[in-house]
Amino acid sequence: MNRLTESQSTNIANLNIKGKGGKDRELAEALGQERAHAEFHDAKNGNDLFEYKKQAGCQWIDAFKLARLDEAPEGITILWFNHKDGVIESVYSSTYEQVRDILFPTEIDQELLSLYRSIAANRTRKAADQVKCKIDVKEIKANFTLLWERS
């Protein structure tokens, strides 16, 4: 996905994603995608898989999930919906690997990620435990592909 289509752009421009949770179905409909309830992705379009991230300032990423990317289907696109008071201002795309490389860029960071993988594999409360890493809108805009921007 290099750009949003005209129809997707119109739908996104008219959507409000303010509030916690429950917006993935609306985003999938706006983009012509099918809502999915999977660990590593929120929607699909044929064989293409998409994870949705919605943020007004920063986004907290589950490091345990990043540590377990070898368990995820290949080629998932993360769509970043940057909004102000729920009004989507821009949409960027990335991969999980790009996010991992930003949040864990050094050899020591990679060792920490390996430790997270070991912990995640051995915890009994897997669904309840998360380790969060922050990525902010500036990093998203500097490192990921712009698909759409409100004019």
Side-chain angles (χ1 to χ4, degrees), residues 25-132:
R25 180 186 52 78
E26 294 175 39
L27 285 167
E29 287 176 7
L31 296 170
Q33 300 169 350
E34 179 183 341
R35 175 73 171 101
H37 298 277
E39 182 178 4
F40 291 96
H41 64 279
D42 296 314
K44 60 184 178 177
N45 186 9
N47 291 328
D48 297 326
L49 304 176
F50 301 92
E51 173 76 0
Y52 299 153
K53 299 293 183 188
K54 303 158 290 287
Q55 63 284 323
C58 69
Q59 176 71 42
W60 293 93
I61 305 296
D62 181 1
F64 283 163
K65 187 183 279 189
L66 290 179
R68 297 175 37 249
L69 285 181
D70 61 327
E71 300 172 23
E74 287 187 31
I76 297 173
T77 298
I78 301 176
L79 297 177
W80 302 85
F81 300 91
N82 300 308
H83 68 90
K84 183 175 182 179
D85 295 323
V87 176
I88 300 171
E89 299 291 328
S90 60
V91 181
Y92 285 78
S93 72
S94 74
T95 64
Y96 273 115
E97 292 77 13
Q98 286 174 295
V99 174
R100 181 196 58 209
D101 292 346
I102 289 169
L103 296 176
F104 297 90
T106 68
E107 189 175 321
I108 291 173
D109 292 322
Q110 292 295 318
E111 290 175 18
L112 180 59
L113 204 56
S114 293
L115 178 61
Y116 288 158
R117 177 171 175 67
S118 177
I119 292 168
N122 291 298
R123 291 287 293 157
T124 56
R125 296 174 26 114
K126 291 178 182 155
D129 291 342
Q130 293 184 342
V131 172
K132 296 290 189 168

